[in-house]
Structure formats: C-alpha cells, structure tokens
Amino acid sequence: MPDKRPRGYQRRKNIPLAQDILILDREWQRRYPAMHGLLACDRCALETPWPCEERGGGYVDGHIPATTDSSDFDAWSHVGPYGTHRAMVLKYPRSGMLQGAETYVRSVAGRPRCSGALVKRLRDVLEQWDRGLRAVEADLPALAAC
C-alpha cells in the first residue's frame, strides 16, 4: 500500500538530548502546519528540501520571508542558529513544552538559584500554558533577534 503522507512529512519523534538543535521559523510552520514546536535536530532541518522561489522567478504562494539576514531561496534560509538542547528549550519554552520538555521547564522555573529574569519569563510562559495558551508564535520574536 503506498504511503499517503504529504511529501516531506516527518513523523513526530524526540530530539536527542546530546546533540545541538536548531530553531525553525514561520515558513516551516506554514509548510508543515501539523508540526509540534519549532525546535529540530539538524538532520530533520537540513535534510528537508524545498525551494522558496518558483522556477520562473518570484516566491511561492504564501511565502513568509526569512527572518535572517541571509538570502531567502530554500529551506536552509529558514533555519535559525544552533544551541544546546537545554538552552534552546529555555530560550523557546513554548516550543520545548509542545515537544515534551514541560517537566524540565517547570523544574528550572522552580530553582531558587536561577536568574530572576529567566525564572520570571518561564513562570509567565507556564502561567499562559496552564491557561491553555500554547501557540509557539510567542517564541518567534526571540528568533528575529538571533
């Protein structure tokens, strides 16, 4: 029986804790609306090809411009910087929690020796999370600053 999943479909899986990971931008979410969170291992992010431009010129319909200063021509243009798994979960906590790191985020938010600004931000995110506000778009302004 042929596989009926859309081209480029990635099954949901955990990102290995021991490897650095990448943040993806809004164009990834537009192309893969069933995607959970914006964090990805390099294999998933860098081996998923798609062009931003049509063969005759111009961008594909609905294209969201890359937030990086680089050229905007393929999937790699929509991949943010690397970071350790734990650091990226703390920088983009909603994405991390959607991808299974809620317990870790809660544990960091409860640590007495953590930076006050980090703890406050994580507690604000957790409060919104507990109220059911789980959209990762709130993580994206941090991506634009990368």
Side-chain angles (χ1 to χ4, degrees):
M1 184 164 146
D3 190 352
K4 296 187 180 196
R5 292 178 290 200
R7 185 169 178 253
Y9 172 83
Q10 299 284 328
R11 67 180 171 80
R12 188 172 179 187
K13 60 187 179 211
N14 291 330
I15 301 169
L17 281 174
Q19 92 180 48
D20 286 352
I21 60 175
L22 299 153
I23 184 74
L24 308 176
D25 72 5
R26 283 187 168 107
E27 180 67 1
W28 280 86
Q29 274 204 307
R30 184 188 73 79
R31 288 176 181 259
Y32 302 99
M35 185 171 76
H36 293 275
L38 300 170
L39 302 175
C41 66
D42 60 350
R43 187 180 140 267
C44 293
L46 302 179
E47 293 181 10
T48 303
W50 39 265
C52 295
E53 300 170 339
E54 300 278 3
R55 287 184 191 250
Y59 289 111
V60 297
D61 287 343
H63 179 263
I64 299 170
T67 56
T68 61
D69 291 333
S70 65
S71 57
D72 187 0
F73 59 90
D74 67 5
W76 284 25
S77 304
H78 296 274
V79 173
Y82 276 102
T84 66
H85 197 136
R86 288 176 176 89
M88 296 297 268
V89 165
L90 295 179
K91 188 169 184 176
Y92 307 101
R94 288 170 189 82
S95 292
M97 290 190 295
L98 280 170
Q99 293 174 259
E102 181 179 355
T103 303
Y104 174 67
V105 172
R106 287 187 186 281
S107 73
V108 173
R111 292 180 187 168
R113 294 187 181 151
C114 276
S115 156
L118 173 64
V119 168
K120 181 184 179 332
R121 188 170 66 82
L122 292 178
R123 287 182 182 165
D124 289 346
V125 168
L126 286 165
E127 182 183 319
Q128 294 169 4
W129 179 266
D130 292 341
R131 288 190 324 228
L133 302 172
R134 298 178 180 199
V136 295
E137 284 77 16
D139 279 347
L140 290 173
L143 176 59
C146 292

